[in-house]
Amino acid sequence: EPEVTQTPSHQVTQMGQEVILRCVPISNHLYFYWYRQILGQKVEFLVSFYNNEISEKSEIFDDQFSVERPDGSNFTLKIRSTKLEDSAMYFCASSVSTDTQYFGPGTRLTVL
Amino acid sequence: QKEVEQNSGPLSVPEGAIASLNCTYSDRVSQSFFWYRQYSGKSPELIMSIYSNGDKEDGRFTAQLNKASQYVSLLIRDSQPSDSATYLCAVNILNQAGTALIFGKGTTLSVSS
């Protein structure tokens, strides 16, 4: 069964450094998303992406975040200058339409 | 502010019992409703989706939706220890350009053998 994949599974970085989190959505899906979950808290929407552009973003998704679909398979989330409070699990999700979303296994980001 | 509320639990049930999980949401224009299961340290895994008022059954799981009351529930029949997890209620806030899932904090279910 097709699934969303994410790399790396765990990323450790120093505060102020740039990180890129990578996702490969399910191949026939057209909508892509990033969510984050701070330890012990709820899953929070960051951004949705369709037709090579951002379709919606939350207040969390400020200027330090960006997303890109650099080729036909990858979908990336870049955090330009990481802060301690960016430490969280980051989940990529994809969907065929504006409906059921399937989540990847997540990347645990630790900012020191 | 669009909100999804869940009782955080823990909800403890014995093996074989029915577990009942509840969720309320604030946005009347919400279109789609989902239940995800999340094991500790893992990603959300889709269990059920429901779009119209009433009940929807899938195996041991039944989702119930009441849009007038802005209420969604999940019943798990014949609960098993492997059902022990956090259950996340998610509501689809649909707009012209896309969609975002708004999640509740989740209800932790513990099934004892």
Side-chain angles (χ1 to χ4, degrees):
Chain A
E1 185 173 318
E3 57 185 22
V4 178
T5 60
Q6 290 185 244
T7 54
S9 57
H10 190 191
Q11 175 87 48
V12 181
T13 189
Q14 295 291 324
M15 190 169 55
Q17 295 297 304
E18 174 183 289
V19 295
I20 298 176
L21 310 183
R22 291 181 167 80
C23 167
V24 178
I26 295 173
S27 61
N28 64 332
H29 287 190
L30 302 177
Y31 295 81
F32 315 117
Y33 314 85
W34 284 101
Y35 292 82
R36 80 171 185 190
Q37 187 175 31
I38 295 170
L39 186 64
Q41 298 189 23
K42 65 181 177 181
V43 177
E44 299 174 290
F45 170 75
L46 294 178
V47 66
S48 59
F49 191 87
Y50 171 71
N51 201 26
N52 284 319
E53 61 182 22
I54 291 174
S55 51
E56 188 177 8
K57 60 183 180 179
S58 70
E59 292 177 352
I60 302 169
F61 194 87
D62 61 21
D63 290 345
Q64 70 160 342
F65 290 94
S66 62
V67 290
E68 192 178 30
R69 187 155 165 82
D71 53 43
S73 59
N74 290 283
F75 180 51
T76 63
L77 174 69
K78 181 190 291 185
I79 309 175
R80 258 179 275 283
S81 178
T82 50
K83 306 170 192 169
L84 295 176
E85 55 265 37
D86 293 327
S87 294
M89 282 288 286
Y90 288 81
F91 296 112
C92 174
S94 69
S95 61
V96 172
S97 64
T98 55
D99 191 42
T100 308
Q101 297 178 24
Y102 295 91
F103 283 72
T107 293
R108 180 173 299 282
L109 177 64
T110 301
V111 182
L112 302 176
Chain B
Q1 181 79 356
K2 301 176 176 66
E3 296 286 343
V4 177
E5 299 288 341
Q6 294 182 256
N7 187 330
S8 61
L11 174 64
S12 297
V13 301
E15 184 175 357
I18 296 175
S20 177
L21 305 160
N22 304 313
C23 170
T24 59
Y25 59 95
S26 63
D27 190 344
R28 285 193 170 273
V29 301
S30 299
Q31 303 288 322
S32 309
F33 307 87
F34 304 89
W35 284 99
Y36 285 84
R37 177 173 61 197
Q38 187 175 34
Y39 293 110
S40 181
K42 302 295 185 182
S43 63
E45 173 193 7
L46 180 70
I47 299 175
M48 296 275 295
S49 59
I50 187 166
Y51 308 102
S52 53
N53 284 326
D55 295 0
K56 179 182 178 182
E57 187 174 319
D58 184 1
R60 296 187 295 112
F61 299 97
T62 299
Q64 299 173 317
L65 174 61
N66 184 326
K67 289 187 178 181
S69 301
Q70 295 175 243
Y71 175 89
V72 193
S73 67
L74 179 70
L75 298 177
I76 306 174
R77 289 181 299 282
D78 188 23
S79 296
Q80 302 296 309
S82 57
D83 294 328
S84 298
T86 298
Y87 289 80
L88 309 179
C89 175
V91 174
N92 180 315
I93 309 297
L94 184 63
N95 61 37
Q96 283 185 328
T99 182
L101 286 179
I102 307 301
F103 282 85
K105 289 184 178 180
T107 298
T108 301
L109 172 66
S110 176
V111 182
S112 56
S113 57

